[in-house]
Amino acid sequence: MRSIVGVIVLVWLVIGTVAAIQRGYFGNDRDVSCKTAGDTALTIVAGPLNYMGVNPKITCKVPQPSK
């Protein structure tokens, strides 16, 4: 039973990774920020839901360093 669940989780994440690649989240021309990293991670975790119309986005506010 454990191996079946493991395979399902692995396939789910692979589908999510393919969706992130198709959306261009792994391109060299993208700035790395909290938002882009969060969007990429959510897309991967959403897996097959991406192909059912889910487009996960995140908003994050990072505190600015003090002077």
Side-chain angles (χ1 to χ4, degrees):
M1 185 66 176
R2 267 184 156 170
S3 62
I4 293 172
V5 172
V7 168
I8 290 171
V9 169
L10 182 64
V11 169
W12 183 278
L13 294 175
V14 167
I15 292 171
T17 303
V18 169
I21 291 169
Q22 289 176 341
R23 290 183 180 172
Y25 287 162
F26 294 112
N28 289 334
D29 59 341
R30 290 185 55 109
D31 292 331
V32 178
S33 67
C34 175
K35 181 180 177 356
T36 58
D39 288 346
T40 303
L42 280 176
T43 299
I44 292 171
V45 170
L49 298 176
N50 289 293
Y51 296 105
M52 293 182 212
V54 175
N55 189 11
K57 297 289 181 187
I58 191 170
T59 57
C60 51
K61 296 180 182 182
V62 178
Q64 298 297 321
S66 60
K67 293 183 179 184

